[in-house]
């Protein structure tokens, strides 16, 4: 859980998700944050099994699917 937008998601959280995906036999896991991923977390990414979505990317995704007011 990020306390502020200045916090970074570290490799521990990515490893935890990777373990859960493997244990559950899931096709893919998504880790979404309103902040950013630390460089070591992003470097250990297994792109076929995990997708990391950071705050700026999440905002872009939401804007792309938002209905006009």
């Amino acid at each position: 859980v990020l306390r502020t937008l200045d916090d970074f998601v570290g490799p521990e959280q990515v490893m935890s998700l990777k373990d859960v995906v493997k244990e559950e036999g899931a096709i893919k896991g998504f880790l979404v944050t309103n902040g950013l991923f630390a460089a070591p977390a992003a470097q250990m990414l297994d792109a076929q099994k995990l997708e990391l979505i950071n705050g700026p990317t999440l905002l872009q995704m939401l804007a792309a699917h938002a209905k006009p007011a």
Side-chain angles (χ1 to χ4, degrees):
V1 175
L2 297 180
R3 293 173 299 283
T4 69
L5 291 177
D6 295 331
D7 287 344
F8 288 88
V9 176
E12 301 83 15
Q13 289 84 7
V14 176
M15 281 302 296
S16 292
L17 177 61
K18 189 174 184 177
D19 291 343
V20 170
V21 168
K22 184 177 178 181
E23 289 171 13
E24 297 295 328
I27 296 170
K28 193 165 194 164
F30 295 86
L31 187 55
V32 181
T33 180
N34 61 338
L36 299 171
F37 293 94
Q43 291 171 350
M44 64 186 307
L45 179 64
D46 178 355
Q48 293 183 351
K49 289 283 189 177
L50 302 177
E51 186 168 342
L52 305 181
I53 301 173
N54 63 23
T57 300
L58 179 60
L59 289 175
Q60 289 175 353
M61 293 169 74
L62 293 172
H65 296 286
K67 294 182 181 178

